[in-house]
Amino acid sequence: MWGGRFSTGPDAIMEAINASIDFDKRLGPEDVESSLAHADMLGATGILNVSDVSAIKEGLQEILSELNSGEFQFSADLEDIHMNIEARLKDKIGSPAGRLHTARSRNDQVATDFRLWVRGQIDWVDKNLVDLMKALLDQAQNGVSWIMPGFTHLQTAQPITWGHHMMAYVEMFSRDRSRFKDARDRMNECPLGSAALAGTSFPIDRNQTAKALEFDRPTANSLDAVSDRDFALEFLASSSICAMHLSRLAEELVIWSSAQFRFIELSDRFSTGSSIMPQKKNPDAAELVRAKIGRILGANVGLMTVMKGLPLAYSKDMQEDKEQVFDAADSLNLALCAMEGMIKDLTANKDSLEFAAKSGFSTATDLADWLVRVLNLPFREAHHITGELVGLAEQLKCDLSEIELKEMQRIHSGITEDVFTVLSIENSVKSRSSYGGTSPEEVQFQIDRWKKELG
């Protein structure tokens, strides 16, 4: 490729460290797509004649078919996907293949191909996020009024509804969608035509290629365009946050499916057994989803480290961008699909959820609120009185609602029979009717809102 400048070929070690075809072959379809747009533009501007453009396009379409069918033969000797496709094009159409590289460089070529690939992955992630959110909505609808314990510090805090808990993750994943959308909007500029770093002297039409490739506009600075990998970093950053959300949900599925909780049962389709313990039903899918954050966050840190010290414009270091992004995208999409399957198939145990909600004095806050609202006590005093009543309940080995009124009145004489109206878990969740609260009516409102939003 550069034999005119060099008198000897590269060392075998140099070939090994320099070649990227083993991984960047995934950019094959995108490379053909950007090349077709480039060829059309070269023809429209008169830079190439009609017959050369026609031959180039016909050859590229044949190459795309070979890529899609798995028939394309990749060669490490040709270093990367761009040269592999160019060489194959030359095999097919001869000398016109060499004209395709007019007014472009591999620098703007790979920047364009990689953007196209990442943009496509964002679209897949968005679809998978929507599918997962719909599965969560179905779970929320099924248990819109089922009562379960809400936790802080993994200790019983206040009773909430199953629907409310499911909807918390709908909100989380909606923010992930928003982050990916922002990243997609920002990256949707076309580097093609930036050439090596300075643009080109040929009379190209960058707006034409940008439009053909469904970018919003061409990039405004050729130097930045070929050296920018912010779009990949933003994808990895958004993926890391999304994977963290998936990990939190996976952790809850692992805990909830344990014999100690029995809040849910995962389906056989997303569980495994043990080679030695026949009774085991392991939540392996959830555990593996929980682990994916390590790979994805690692990719984010890895690429950030590669890019942090590079002078403008392109440096070969940037060849190390793709494997990490490819792996992160694969891991995230697989985790999203696995989580959707688990959520779709899981069975929530209404009785276990309700039984757990009645333990741990989960209505203590309702009692404190009653003391404030009915007896007009300062909240700190109400908090102290409630703490004493909880201590009494522990001594008596009973729930707050099972303490006799006269025993409560020994701690505060103003307490009346009316206090028992707030000590049931049912009344507790019904009372949390503020916007975004856990009452079944408010949860149903949010479910309806999201069903309409997602279609």
Coordinates of all heavy atoms in Angstrom, one line a residue, residues 352-396:
S352 N -46.0 -13.9 50.1 CA -44.7 -13.7 50.7 C -44.4 -12.2 50.8 O -43.9 -11.7 51.8 CB -43.6 -14.4 49.9 OG -43.8 -15.8 50.0
L353 N -44.8 -11.5 49.7 CA -44.5 -10.0 49.7 C -45.3 -9.4 50.9 O -44.8 -8.5 51.6 CB -44.9 -9.4 48.4 CG -44.1 -9.8 47.2 CD1 -44.8 -9.4 45.9 CD2 -42.7 -9.2 47.2
E354 N -46.6 -9.8 51.0 CA -47.4 -9.1 52.0 C -47.0 -9.5 53.4 O -46.9 -8.7 54.3 CB -48.9 -9.6 51.8 CG -49.9 -8.9 52.7 CD -51.3 -9.2 52.4 OE1 -51.6 -9.3 51.2 OE2 -52.1 -9.2 53.3
F355 N -46.6 -10.8 53.6 CA -46.2 -11.3 54.9 C -44.9 -10.5 55.3 O -44.8 -10.1 56.5 CB -45.9 -12.8 54.8 CG -45.4 -13.3 56.1 CD1 -46.3 -13.6 57.2 CD2 -44.0 -13.5 56.4 CE1 -45.8 -14.2 58.4 CE2 -43.6 -14.0 57.6 CZ -44.5 -14.4 58.6
A356 N -44.0 -10.3 54.4 CA -42.8 -9.5 54.7 C -43.1 -8.1 55.0 O -42.4 -7.5 55.8 CB -41.8 -9.7 53.5
A357 N -44.1 -7.5 54.3 CA -44.4 -6.1 54.6 C -44.9 -5.9 56.0 O -44.8 -4.8 56.5 CB -45.4 -5.6 53.5
K358 N -45.5 -6.9 56.6 CA -46.0 -6.8 57.9 C -45.0 -6.9 59.0 O -45.3 -6.7 60.2 CB -47.1 -7.9 58.2 CG -48.4 -7.6 57.3 CD -49.4 -8.7 57.5 CE -50.7 -8.4 56.7 NZ -51.7 -9.5 56.9
S359 N -43.8 -7.3 58.6 CA -42.7 -7.4 59.6 C -41.8 -6.2 59.6 O -41.8 -5.4 58.7 CB -41.9 -8.7 59.3 OG -41.2 -8.5 58.1
G360 N -41.0 -6.1 60.7 CA -40.1 -5.0 60.8 C -40.7 -3.6 61.1 O -40.1 -2.6 60.8
F361 N -41.9 -3.6 61.6 CA -42.6 -2.4 62.0 C -42.6 -1.3 60.9 O -42.2 -0.2 61.1 CB -41.8 -1.8 63.3 CG -41.6 -2.8 64.3 CD1 -40.3 -3.2 64.6 CD2 -42.6 -3.3 65.1 CE1 -40.0 -4.2 65.6 CE2 -42.4 -4.3 66.0 CZ -41.1 -4.7 66.3
S362 N -43.0 -1.8 59.7 CA -43.0 -1.0 58.5 C -43.9 0.2 58.6 O -43.8 1.1 57.8 CB -43.3 -1.8 57.3 OG -44.6 -2.3 57.3
T363 N -44.9 0.2 59.5 CA -45.9 1.3 59.6 C -45.4 2.3 60.7 O -46.2 3.2 61.1 CB -47.3 0.9 59.9 OG1 -47.3 0.1 61.1 CG2 -47.8 0.0 58.7
A364 N -44.2 2.3 61.2 CA -43.8 3.2 62.2 C -43.8 4.6 61.8 O -44.2 5.5 62.6 CB -42.3 2.8 62.7
T365 N -43.5 4.9 60.5 CA -43.5 6.3 60.0 C -45.0 6.8 60.0 O -45.2 8.0 60.3 CB -42.9 6.4 58.6 OG1 -41.6 5.8 58.7 CG2 -42.9 7.8 58.2
D366 N -45.9 5.9 59.7 CA -47.3 6.3 59.7 C -47.8 6.6 61.1 O -48.6 7.6 61.3 CB -48.2 5.1 59.2 CG -47.9 4.7 57.7 OD1 -48.4 5.3 56.8 OD2 -47.0 3.9 57.5
L367 N -47.3 5.9 62.1 CA -47.6 6.2 63.5 C -47.0 7.6 63.8 O -47.7 8.4 64.5 CB -47.0 5.1 64.4 CG -47.1 5.4 65.9 CD1 -48.5 5.6 66.3 CD2 -46.5 4.2 66.6
A368 N -45.8 7.8 63.5 CA -45.2 9.2 63.8 C -46.0 10.3 63.1 O -46.2 11.3 63.7 CB -43.7 9.2 63.4
D369 N -46.4 10.0 61.8 CA -47.1 11.1 61.1 C -48.5 11.3 61.8 O -49.0 12.4 61.8 CB -47.4 10.6 59.7 CG -46.1 10.7 58.8 OD1 -45.1 11.3 59.3 OD2 -46.1 10.1 57.7
W370 N -49.1 10.2 62.3 CA -50.4 10.4 63.0 C -50.2 11.2 64.3 O -51.0 12.1 64.5 CB -50.9 9.0 63.4 CG -52.3 9.0 64.1 CD1 -53.5 9.0 63.4 CD2 -52.5 9.1 65.5 NE1 -54.5 9.1 64.4 CE2 -53.9 9.1 65.6 CE3 -51.7 9.2 66.6 CZ2 -54.6 9.2 66.9 CZ3 -52.3 9.3 67.8 CH2 -53.7 9.3 68.0
L371 N -49.2 11.0 65.0 CA -48.9 11.8 66.2 C -48.7 13.3 65.9 O -49.2 14.2 66.6 CB -47.7 11.3 66.9 CG -47.8 9.9 67.5 CD1 -46.4 9.4 68.0 CD2 -48.7 9.9 68.7
V372 N -48.1 13.6 64.7 CA -47.9 15.0 64.3 C -49.3 15.5 63.8 O -49.7 16.7 64.2 CB -46.9 15.0 63.1 CG1 -46.9 16.4 62.5 CG2 -45.5 14.7 63.6
R373 N -50.0 14.8 63.0 CA -51.2 15.3 62.4 C -52.4 15.4 63.4 O -53.1 16.4 63.4 CB -51.6 14.3 61.3 CG -52.7 14.8 60.4 CD -52.9 13.9 59.2 NE -53.2 12.5 59.5 CZ -52.4 11.5 59.4 NH1 -51.2 11.7 58.8 NH2 -52.7 10.3 59.7
V374 N -52.5 14.4 64.3 CA -53.7 14.4 65.2 C -53.4 15.1 66.5 O -54.2 15.8 67.0 CB -54.2 12.9 65.4 CG1 -55.3 12.9 66.4 CG2 -54.6 12.3 64.0
L375 N -52.2 14.8 67.1 CA -51.9 15.4 68.4 C -51.1 16.6 68.3 O -50.7 17.2 69.3 CB -51.1 14.3 69.2 CG -51.8 13.0 69.4 CD1 -51.0 12.1 70.4 CD2 -53.3 13.2 69.9
N376 N -50.7 17.0 67.1 CA -50.0 18.3 66.9 C -48.7 18.3 67.5 O -48.2 19.4 68.0 CB -50.9 19.5 67.3 CG -50.4 20.8 66.7 OD1 -49.9 20.8 65.5 ND2 -50.5 21.9 67.4
L377 N -48.0 17.2 67.6 CA -46.7 17.1 68.2 C -45.6 17.5 67.2 O -45.8 17.3 66.0 CB -46.4 15.7 68.7 CG -47.3 15.1 69.8 CD1 -46.9 13.7 70.1 CD2 -47.3 16.0 71.0
P378 N -44.5 18.1 67.6 CA -43.4 18.3 66.7 C -42.9 16.9 66.2 O -42.9 15.9 67.0 CB -42.3 18.9 67.6 CG -43.1 19.5 68.8 CD -44.2 18.6 69.0
F379 N -42.4 16.9 65.0 CA -42.1 15.6 64.4 C -41.0 14.9 65.2 O -41.0 13.7 65.4 CB -41.6 15.7 62.9 CG -41.3 14.4 62.3 CD1 -42.3 13.5 61.9 CD2 -40.0 13.9 62.2 CE1 -42.0 12.3 61.4 CE2 -39.7 12.6 61.7 CZ -40.7 11.8 61.3
R380 N -40.0 15.6 65.7 CA -38.9 15.0 66.5 C -39.5 14.3 67.8 O -39.0 13.3 68.1 CB -37.8 16.0 66.8 CG -37.0 16.4 65.6 CD -36.3 15.2 65.1 NE -35.7 15.4 63.7 CZ -35.5 14.4 62.9 NH1 -35.8 13.2 63.1 NH2 -35.0 14.7 61.7
E381 N -40.5 15.0 68.4 CA -41.0 14.3 69.6 C -41.8 13.1 69.2 O -41.8 12.1 69.8 CB -42.0 15.3 70.3 CG -42.6 14.8 71.6 CD -43.4 15.8 72.3 OE1 -43.4 17.0 72.0 OE2 -44.2 15.3 73.2
A382 N -42.6 13.2 68.1 CA -43.3 12.1 67.5 C -42.4 10.9 67.2 O -42.7 9.7 67.4 CB -44.2 12.5 66.3
H383 N -41.3 11.3 66.6 CA -40.3 10.2 66.2 C -39.8 9.5 67.5 O -39.7 8.3 67.5 CB -39.1 11.0 65.5 CG -38.1 10.0 65.0 ND1 -37.2 9.4 65.7 CD2 -37.8 9.7 63.7 CE1 -36.4 8.6 65.0 NE2 -36.7 8.8 63.7
H384 N -39.6 10.3 68.6 CA -39.1 9.7 69.8 C -40.1 8.7 70.4 O -39.8 7.6 70.9 CB -38.7 10.8 70.8 CG -38.1 10.2 72.1 ND1 -36.8 9.8 72.3 CD2 -38.8 10.1 73.3 CE1 -36.7 9.4 73.5 NE2 -37.8 9.5 74.2
I385 N -41.4 9.2 70.5 CA -42.5 8.4 71.0 C -42.6 7.1 70.2 O -42.8 6.0 70.8 CB -43.8 9.2 71.0 CG1 -43.7 10.4 72.1 CG2 -45.0 8.3 71.4 CD1 -44.8 11.4 72.0
T386 N -42.6 7.2 68.9 CA -42.7 6.1 68.1 C -41.6 5.1 68.3 O -41.8 3.9 68.3 CB -42.8 6.5 66.6 OG1 -43.8 7.4 66.3 CG2 -42.9 5.3 65.7
G387 N -40.4 5.6 68.5 CA -39.3 4.7 68.8 C -39.5 4.0 70.1 O -39.2 2.8 70.2
E388 N -40.1 4.6 71.1 CA -40.4 3.9 72.3 C -41.4 2.8 72.1 O -41.3 1.7 72.7 CB -40.9 4.9 73.4 CG -39.8 5.9 73.9 CD -40.4 6.7 75.0 OE1 -40.3 6.2 76.2 OE2 -40.9 7.8 74.8
L389 N -42.4 3.1 71.3 CA -43.5 2.1 71.0 C -42.9 0.9 70.2 O -43.3 -0.2 70.4 CB -44.6 2.8 70.2 CG -45.5 3.7 71.0 CD1 -46.4 4.6 70.1 CD2 -46.3 3.0 72.0
V390 N -42.0 1.2 69.3 CA -41.3 0.1 68.6 C -40.5 -0.8 69.6 O -40.6 -2.0 69.6 CB -40.4 0.6 67.5 CG1 -39.4 -0.5 67.0 CG2 -41.2 1.2 66.4
G391 N -39.8 -0.1 70.6 CA -39.1 -0.9 71.6 C -40.0 -1.7 72.4 O -39.7 -2.9 72.8
L392 N -41.2 -1.1 72.7 CA -42.2 -1.9 73.5 C -42.7 -3.1 72.7 O -42.8 -4.2 73.2 CB -43.4 -1.0 73.8 CG -44.6 -1.6 74.5 CD1 -44.1 -2.2 75.9 CD2 -45.7 -0.6 74.7
A393 N -43.0 -2.9 71.4 CA -43.4 -4.0 70.6 C -42.4 -5.1 70.5 O -42.7 -6.3 70.5 CB -43.7 -3.5 69.1
E394 N -41.1 -4.7 70.5 CA -40.1 -5.8 70.4 C -40.1 -6.6 71.7 O -39.9 -7.8 71.7 CB -38.7 -5.1 70.2 CG -38.5 -4.6 68.8 CD -37.1 -4.1 68.6 OE1 -36.6 -3.4 69.5 OE2 -36.5 -4.3 67.5
Q395 N -40.3 -5.9 72.9 CA -40.3 -6.6 74.2 C -41.5 -7.5 74.2 O -41.4 -8.6 74.7 CB -40.5 -5.5 75.3 CG -39.2 -4.7 75.5 CD -39.5 -3.6 76.6 OE1 -40.3 -3.8 77.5 NE2 -38.7 -2.5 76.5
L396 N -42.6 -7.1 73.6 CA -43.9 -7.9 73.7 C -43.9 -8.9 72.6 O -44.8 -9.7 72.5 CB -45.1 -7.0 73.6 CG -45.3 -6.0 74.7 CD1 -46.4 -5.0 74.4 CD2 -45.6 -6.7 76.0

